[in-house]
Amino acid sequence: MLELALKGSKRYYGWIAFLLVLIGIGSLAYVNQLMVGLETTGMNRDVSWGFYISQFTYLVGLAASGVMIVLPNYFHSYKTNKHMVIFGEFMAIAACIMCMLFIAVDVGQPTRMLNVMLHPTPNSILFWDMTVLVGYLSLNLLVGWTCLQADRANLPHPKWLKPFIYVSIIWAFSIHTVTAFLYQGLPGRHYWLTAILAARFLASAFCSGPAILLLVMMVTEKFTTFKMAKNALSTLVKIIAYAMCINMFFFALEIFTAFYSNMPGHMHPITFLFAHADPTLVTLMWTFLACAAISIILLVTPKFRNNLKLLPYTLIILVVATWLDKGLGLVIGGFTPNPFHAITPYWPTGKELLVSMMVYAIGALIVTVLFKIATSVKEEMGHSQGLPCGCSTEDTCECAPEEVEEAPAEA
Amino acid sequence: MKNNRRTFIKLAGIAAAGLAVAPKALASSGGHSPVKANPKGLHATQWAMVIDTTKLHTEEEIAKLAEACHAIHNVPKIEGHKEVKWLWSDTYAHTFPEQENPHLAEEVHHRDFPLLCNHCENPPCVRVCPTKATYKRPDGIVAMDYHRCIGCRYCMAGCPYGSRSFNWGEPRKNLDLSKLNPEFPTRMRGVVEKCNFCVERLAVGKMPACVEASEGAMVFGDLNDPDSEVRQVLREKFTIRRKPTAGTEPCVYYVI
Ligand code: SF4
Ligand code: SF4
Ligand code: SF4
């Protein structure tokens, strides 16, 4: 099936070439980091994790979120989602690989990475995180690929696959829970030391992940004949709306706990992020709140939610909000103030950003190739193809009969 | 045919017997491990330190101890937030952030306090390390294997005392190579390091370098031995530890 990735338009090849250039530039920065060490990053003795680990954390959410499409399909037999499932799984594959790459670029001695597997240490959450990520990647590769192959051969999905699918659904929750435990179990880091962190992670994953997936699918629709079914789309948007509301509710719970209890340790990271950090970070954190509020308003109002023209912007605002919260504030807030209640500012360096760009470009490349394969198969099979009226062949299209009616009138 | 089988069974029997006996034979050959413990080495079940801050509290005095420690352990000198340090000094407010009090005796407020790894009895750095590169020895010292460490810095996130340093760059670049202590390894970049309670000195019967240089302001000994000097001081003087709420049971005690 891989051959499907090789046949493409000029535009497709141009895009791939562009990604390869980005990867090339980023890898120069990475080679530099390999040569001189992590001193090329902005991290320091007090903020010992930075942009890499926060991207890792954000992307675990993207990987886990695929389940929001898979779950309704298999647990609730909600078949409208059927033709989207594969994209959720493929997105998860790319996200898992990006996660692993972000860990790989973050460690000081990448050649010894395997020590985590060679000396398994069950008391370390990092060991479990590796394990669940590798497991989730394998499950998605297996399920995604096998299903697509069966589709292409016009065969039903094999029965033996069922247990793997159910396991993968539960596994998806585990990967983000374990990632939260990575932070949650550390004494003296009050911003992370909260029982609700895993729940917050899942809520944020289940809004940001499907939002990113939908945005990518909208782009896919532009360049291929694939068309999302309207029902599937509106279901996903509703899931996003609920998850975002829960996400912000959990955030409010944190604020209440910290400030009503008046515990200095719990208040400090929050006041730091929203008031005392350098002006850029403070602005970004308030931007997070503003974007969160706007996206919630747009998502819960049916008129705005069902407006397909507005939807991409709503989703982008939501992604920005969740990224600022989890992909930036979470790690910085956990390390500042440091154990001495002193403030050491952290900001990623240009090289750090270039290396991150490399990882994201690799992820985009994987998504492009996998989505290309999936859309080609769908096209061959005539699944979820766009109709002239803008509906998908999976919709119960009401536009078509009108056309039929119109036709005799003309004659 | 028959003959063959009989020989095989015989041989197998001998082999099995050999296997059963071999380990015992090896073991009884008398503990000839290639490394012999130094008979003069100091031993304990939980090493601990008491620092008398009434005697030792100026930046200069502490800097001297840090120098002694850093010199024998080849700790690189780096300015700024990417520094590596095993022993350093800070104010009361930073050392005991949870035990601050605005009306503290002026004099205590002006003291500086020596800081180092607490060799916690319940160390989170060991709990989180995914490779066992950070581990707790039977004598309570939280030690590090620099060759095992992958540099994930999880232990730095886990330590609530900021006791660990990471080699962001090549450490030898910031060392005076003519003044290296050849008896202690230098590190490579990309690994974490910290105070090791001078295990290498204890092994040959010496006290930690900072204790030796402190002229009696620091006491070192076995926390589990009621007759040790450490226990004696703990009995007589009021001491506090850093961040007791973290539940790590630090083994460095401060006389205020
Ligand atoms: S002070 Fe920090 S580094 Fe030292 S043992 Fe305790 S937790 Fe580990
Ligand atoms: S940086 Fe090294 S010592 Fe620290 S947790 Fe990672 S592997 Fe263990
Ligand atoms: S005990 Fe040894 S290693 Fe630790 S600070 Fe003192 S001199 Fe340095």
Side-chain angles (χ1 to χ4, degrees), chain B residues 129-144:
Chain B
C129 178
T131 61
K132 306 186 187 92
T134 297
Y135 59 98
K136 199 168 152 58
R137 293 165 34 110
D139 59 1
I141 292 179
V142 175
M144 279 210 57

Side-chain angles (χ1 to χ4, degrees), chain A residues 33-50 53 106-110 112-113 115-116 119-121 123-127 181-183 185-190 192 335 339-342 344-345, chain B residues 81-85 88 90 93-95 97-98 115 124 126-132 146-154 156-166 168-170 173 188-191 242-243 246 248:
Chain A
Q33 182 187 303
L34 278 180
M35 310 282 286
V36 304
L38 284 164
E39 70 183 2
T40 60
T41 69
M43 289 183 272
N44 51 58
R45 201 173 181 279
D46 289 333
V47 187
S48 50
W49 282 342
I53 292 294
D106 183 71
V107 299
Q109 289 287 336
R112 294 184 193 154
M113 279 268 282
N115 275 1
V116 177
H119 308 282
T121 313
N123 49 286
S124 174
I125 303 292
L126 202 61
F127 163 73
F181 285 177
L182 210 58
Y183 294 96
L186 303 179
R189 308 277 176 196
H190 297 289
W192 301 337
F335 281 114
F340 308 102
H341 287 200
T344 309
Chain B
H81 291 308
K82 286 191 166 68
E83 68 196 320
V84 176
K85 50 187 183 184
W88 70 102
D90 213 332
H94 286 173
T95 311
E98 289 163 350
L115 300 178
V126 171
R127 185 158 65 233
V128 300
C129 178
T131 61
K132 306 186 187 92
Y146 306 119
H147 301 277
R148 177 72 76 81
C149 174
I150 59 169
C152 63
R153 309 188 297 292
Y154 197 6
M156 296 176 83
C159 171
Y161 306 97
S163 296
R164 300 182 146 249
S165 308
F166 182 69
W168 298 99
E170 176 60 53
K173 223 172 49 188
M188 68 289 275
R189 65 156 182 262
V191 299
R242 297 175 62 199
K243 288 219 179 153
T248 67

